[in-house]
Amino acid sequence: TVHGDAAYTGRFYYYYFGNYSKTAALSNLSTGLFHLGEGDYWVLNTRLTFGTEKHSVSAFVKNLTDKTYYPFGIAIEALFGNGYRVRAQPRTFGIEGTVKF
């Protein structure tokens, strides 16, 4: 079995109010790349499986194009002068075996 999937993420901000840097009263809250948000990217995954009714072996690649993206961020600039973003996993390879009994 051959499987592939793609996920698109449009532009989003880490704040539910959007880009804080555009608001005069909050212009110093978010600086640098953090205030730009994230998004407008594709993530591709693929899997190849060989198997029978009781056994299977799969090889997979997640984030096939090795896209660097940050799905989560939080503002701690008011406390520490910087924002914090969580980087998604880079390209990941693996092999998986399954036994049904």
Side-chain angles (χ1 to χ4, degrees), residues 42-95:
W42 287 90
V43 177
L44 308 173
N45 304 304
T46 186
R47 176 180 291 267
L48 179 62
T49 303
F50 298 98
T52 64
E53 287 186 30
K54 290 191 172 193
H55 305 89
S56 67
V57 176
S58 300
F60 63 87
V61 181
K62 296 180 180 180
N63 192 3
L64 185 65
T65 61
D66 201 21
K67 175 71 180 165
T68 300
Y69 63 101
Y70 300 88
F72 178 75
I74 188 168
I76 52 176
E77 293 176 332
L79 298 173
F80 303 106
N82 201 352
Y84 178 75
R85 298 185 303 167
V86 177
R87 182 176 184 228
Q89 288 189 348
R91 181 183 303 131
T92 306
F93 301 88
I95 297 174

Side-chain angles (χ1 to χ4, degrees), residues 22-45:
K22 292 183 179 179
T23 305
L26 301 171
S27 63
N28 293 324
L29 180 64
S30 189
T31 59
L33 295 177
F34 190 77
H35 80 278
L36 298 176
E38 185 65 42
D40 197 23
Y41 57 81
W42 287 90
V43 177
L44 308 173
N45 304 304

